[in-house]
Amino acid sequence: VAVGVAVGVAVGVAVGVAWFLSYFRLYFWFPEVVWLFFLNRLAPPLQALRYLPTNHDEFSYLPLPFIDRIVIGAYATEPEAARKTIDRLTRYSNQQNHAQSAIVGITSQTLQRSQTLSNITQLPQDLDWIGEPPRAIADLYPRLLEIVQDTNAAQVASSFYRRAELLTTPLTKLKKLNTSLANFPAKIATQFAPGIDNWLAILTQTQQTWQEAAQRSGEVPNPYLAGPGLDPNDSVGRFKGRQDVFTEIETISLSQNPPTLLLYGGRRTGKTSTLKYLPDRLPSDLIPLRVDAQNFDSTLFGVADSIARQITTFAKTTRNLTLPTIDREELKLSPFNALDTWFATLADQTPLREKRFLLCIDEYERLEEIVRDTNSRAPLNFLRSTMQNRDSWILLFSGSHTPDELEPYWSDYLIETRSIKLNYLRPPEARDLIRNPIKNFPDIYDPAAVNRIVELTNGHPYLIQLLCEQLVTLLNTIRLGSAEIPADKNRKIDPTLIDQAIPIAMERGDQFFREFWSISLTDRDRAFITALLRNQPLPDDRVTGDRLIEKNFLRKTETSYEFQVPFLEIHCRKVLETI
């Protein structure tokens, strides 16, 4: 009986082992591995693909080595056959991992084989058959496509200088991607590092070539930015002056009992730029935190949530401070109680103790809309409570309105406010912005032209940028020439060119000028200015005249008033011609 049991067990084990070997096809696996080894080492690419075991054996469960290497090697000379093999591996075999690995390898080798800028911009078309990228490069591949898109935008730009300038963006992104490879799996990092280095070399060389071509052509770089506030990260050298404002903010903020600050000035005079540059101009024991009120939702939760998010982002990007997260559930239940608790937590953090926070609310007038839409003054009450009860927090409002232009209830929240007026740039600062918007900017202005620009703009930073931007564009059309006009590579900007640029600049800055007339001026302001420009008797309204002087729109003369910024006067006269 014992012998029978033993024999039965042995037979059962033998049958089980035979079934196991048969199910997993171990009878064929070892020969197939040997066959793949020789295919990988000896066979021509097309032959290797044709005689892969998976073409005839679709049911092998065990991994078959070398398949991905064979497909990657064949793709260089037989791309269509390699793509068909990948498709077959994906659809009709158990070797999908090798198909995914082959796609990763082909992608990395495509980067390495790039030799020109056109090879880089062709990447999406070359690899459009991939569809959704493998999981291993799901984060990397979209970043490569974004770099390709930026590179293509640079390639089709209208001038050599503009191409070289636009190429800075993909170069920066590529360098960041190269640095971030340390966060990817080691296999992916080592696969893609050579290709990324190759792309960096191509883009760097191309940018240098375009820069040299721009210099030979006489083209002038156009660094002037007539638009949103300047950012320290991408506007090096363009921000001029304002040291008096920085000094005043620092002095008041570090005093024993600092009041609420109000930074005010006309539209596009540099308020937002000044706030963005505060982290670079203030000492380390004073932490500025800019919050843009234009980003507030019209709900109490939206306002509190936006304040927390913007503070966290600004602290990280400007001072590399990682702030603790706010309690999201409490924020939903009681927005400003949660924000108050979070503010207390920030001040109690070890690296932040003994420091002061300068909370800068940019475009603070937007809070009036929040009060109206929510029928609640909770945001203003929170800010007042924070300033009164938390010694480490200082509040700075920034906008184009003075307290007397706000709703009456603001008087309860702006008690003991210290106003800081943002005037136009001083003449030396304005000249510096015109002549030296960036480092090593060429000498392209006649002295008379610089004087004319300063006179027209009176140091208004936006108008300087707007006018100079158009002047450089006009100068380049003359220096580069055309089929009808011969090139004049030595031409400089003179008053004649300024006369040509003024109407173009006014058209390009149409929104700014329209806002000046329709938003910055009240009905009484417009009536006063209309009478002034039409040489009619001025309204007996000293308050309006004083207000227009305080807003830097007009100044008093011996007998009347005149515009502080002649450029704005040109616009107002143009408006009156249509009335």
Side-chain angles (χ1 to χ4, degrees):
V1 175
V3 173
V5 171
V7 171
V9 170
V11 170
V13 170
V15 171
V17 170
W19 177 88
F20 178 83
L21 294 175
S22 174
Y23 182 81
F24 287 100
R25 307 180 65 80
L26 288 175
Y27 300 116
F28 305 101
W29 181 76
F30 183 74
E32 288 176 342
V33 169
V34 174
W35 176 248
L36 286 168
F37 174 79
F38 284 108
L39 282 179
N40 182 50
R41 298 296 295 271
L42 303 175
L46 188 59
Q47 297 297 322
L49 293 178
R50 184 175 298 169
Y51 292 109
L52 286 178
T54 51
N55 294 343
H56 314 285
D57 182 3
E58 301 175 357
F59 303 102
S60 180
Y61 291 97
L62 296 178
L64 295 171
F66 308 117
I67 289 181
D68 51 349
R69 295 186 186 180
I70 293 171
V71 175
I72 293 170
Y75 185 82
T77 56
E78 306 289 344
E80 184 63 28
R83 289 198 295 266
K84 289 181 179 179
T85 300
I86 290 174
D87 184 66
R88 189 162 48 247
L89 289 171
T90 302
R91 294 170 176 264
Y92 307 114
S93 78
N94 296 311
Q95 305 296 324
Q96 286 87 354
N97 287 340
H98 286 302
Q100 296 288 291
S101 179
I103 292 174
V104 172
I106 289 170
T107 304
S108 68
Q109 292 216 348
T110 301
L111 269 64
Q112 294 180 50
R113 292 193 178 108
S114 298
Q115 296 181 350
T116 65
L117 199 70
S118 296
N119 294 147
I120 294 176
T121 57
Q122 186 65 26
L123 178 77
Q125 288 73 36
D126 291 341
L127 300 181
D128 62 353
W129 54 271
I130 289 178
E132 185 176 350
R135 183 179 303 176
I137 56 172
D139 295 330
L140 186 148
Y141 190 68
R143 295 171 68 176
L144 289 174
L145 294 182
E146 187 176 312
I147 290 168
V148 169
Q149 184 176 357
D150 293 333
T151 302
N152 188 64
Q155 190 175 31
V156 299
S158 58
S159 67
F160 283 118
Y161 171 73
R162 184 60 176 156
R163 293 174 193 173
E165 183 183 41
L166 289 175
L167 209 56
T168 300
T169 298
L171 264 170
T172 301
K173 291 181 179 180
L174 199 56
K175 290 174 183 177
K176 289 182 179 179
L177 178 57
N178 196 32
T179 302
S180 68
L181 283 179
N183 300 322
F184 286 87
K187 183 178 180 181
I188 296 298
T190 55
Q191 274 185 287
F192 280 87
I196 290 176
D197 288 341
N198 183 43
W199 276 23
L200 278 170
I202 294 172
L203 294 186
T204 302
Q205 179 59 47
T206 302
Q207 187 178 54
Q208 182 178 346
T209 301
W210 286 344
Q211 288 171 341
E212 293 172 352
Q215 291 175 356
R216 289 193 301 271
S217 69
E219 182 183 0
V220 178
N222 200 340
Y224 300 103
L225 296 173
L230 300 177
D231 191 301
N233 295 320
D234 54 22
S235 302
V236 177
R238 293 180 172 95
F239 186 83
K240 306 293 183 180
R242 309 307 189 195
Q243 187 55 50
D244 56 333
V245 175
F246 293 129
T247 300
E248 189 170 4
I249 290 175
E250 177 185 349
T251 301
I252 298 172
S253 298
L254 295 179
S255 62
Q256 187 66 30
N257 295 301
T260 294
L261 304 177
L262 174 59
L263 177 68
Y264 74 96
R267 292 175 181 273
R268 304 290 181 90
T269 53
K271 299 182 295 298
T272 296
S273 298
T274 299
L275 297 184
K276 288 183 176 182
Y277 275 81
L278 277 175
D280 295 334
R281 304 298 179 91
L282 297 181
S284 61
D285 53 351
L286 185 58
I287 303 174
L289 301 169
R290 176 180 173 265
V291 174
D292 186 356
Q294 296 286 7
N295 293 331
F296 290 168
D297 291 335
S298 295
T299 64
L300 297 181
F301 167 76
V303 172
D305 181 55
S306 182
I307 290 174
R309 289 179 183 275
Q310 292 191 60
I311 284 177
T312 301
T313 301
F314 197 77
K316 182 63 178 178
T317 55
T318 61
R319 290 288 179 86
N320 197 29
L321 293 173
T322 302
L323 303 182
T325 57
I326 193 169
D327 188 327
R328 303 288 303 172
E329 294 303 318
E330 184 181 353
L331 190 68
K332 294 176 182 177
L333 294 174
S334 183
F336 289 99
N337 284 337
L339 203 57
D340 183 65
T341 302
W342 188 60
F343 273 26
T345 301
L346 298 185
D348 196 44
Q349 294 293 303
T350 300
L352 302 179
R353 290 175 184 170
E354 308 304 323
K355 296 184 183 295
R356 285 187 171 183
F357 300 92
L358 179 63
L359 179 60
C360 306
I361 309 294
D362 200 6
E363 304 290 349
Y364 78 102
E365 299 94 336
R366 164 79 172 124
L367 290 170
E368 282 194 351
E369 299 177 31
I370 302 298
V371 170
R372 184 183 65 246
D373 293 343
T374 62
N375 195 29
S376 171
R377 298 183 191 175
L380 293 175
N381 292 333
F382 163 75
L383 292 172
R384 179 175 58 184
S385 175
T386 299
M387 299 312 115
Q388 291 177 344
N389 301 313
R390 301 201 180 282
D391 295 337
S392 59
W393 286 86
I394 307 149
L395 177 61
L396 183 151
F397 286 122
S398 175
S400 57
H401 288 65
T402 54
D404 60 296
E405 297 176 283
L406 301 171
E407 293 291 339
Y409 61 75
W410 275 94
S411 60
D412 294 336
Y413 302 97
L414 296 178
I415 299 174
E416 299 181 358
T417 297
R418 176 72 173 271
S419 296
I420 302 174
K421 185 179 180 181
L422 197 70
N423 292 304
Y424 304 135
L425 295 176
R426 299 186 178 99
E429 297 166 346
R431 294 175 188 276
D432 188 27
L433 175 57
I434 295 166
R435 288 188 174 277
N436 305 296
I438 56 175
K439 188 177 180 180
N440 299 323
F441 190 69
D443 180 16
I444 60 170
Y445 292 95
D446 283 345
V450 176
N451 293 337
R452 179 81 189 283
I453 295 170
V454 173
E455 177 189 353
L456 278 170
T457 63
N458 192 29
H460 193 300
Y462 172 80
L463 293 178
I464 290 176
Q465 299 270 9
L466 178 67
L467 183 56
C468 289
E469 183 180 19
Q470 307 314 316
L471 284 169
V472 171
T473 300
L474 284 175
L475 182 64
N476 279 329
T477 62
I478 296 172
R479 286 195 169 192
L480 299 179
S482 65
E484 297 81 15
I485 304 174
D488 182 359
K489 295 184 179 181
N490 297 318
R491 176 68 185 270
K492 285 192 171 185
I493 292 173
D494 55 25
T496 303
L497 208 60
I498 293 175
D499 291 336
Q500 297 178 41
I502 287 175
I504 302 173
M506 293 186 69
E507 182 179 351
R508 296 290 175 85
D510 179 63
Q511 182 177 353
F512 165 79
F513 289 111
R514 283 190 288 106
E515 287 180 352
F516 169 74
W517 180 261
S518 62
I519 298 178
S520 298
L521 301 177
T522 65
D523 290 339
R524 293 171 65 179
D525 295 337
R526 286 187 284 272
F528 195 97
I529 288 174
T530 299
L532 176 67
L533 294 181
R534 289 178 172 172
N535 295 318
Q536 299 171 347
L538 295 178
D540 186 13
D541 188 354
R542 183 175 178 179
V543 172
T544 298
D546 290 345
R547 176 181 177 278
L548 290 171
I549 292 174
E550 175 63 22
K551 300 283 283 186
N552 286 345
F553 297 155
L554 300 181
R555 59 174 157 240
K556 198 79 170 65
T557 65
E558 291 184 1
T559 58
S560 184
Y561 297 84
E562 67 180 7
F563 271 83
Q564 289 196 32
V565 181
F567 211 151
L568 292 177
E569 179 181 355
I570 294 172
H571 168 70
C572 291
R573 290 187 180 279
K574 183 179 178 182
V575 171
L576 293 181
E577 290 175 0
T578 64
I579 298 177

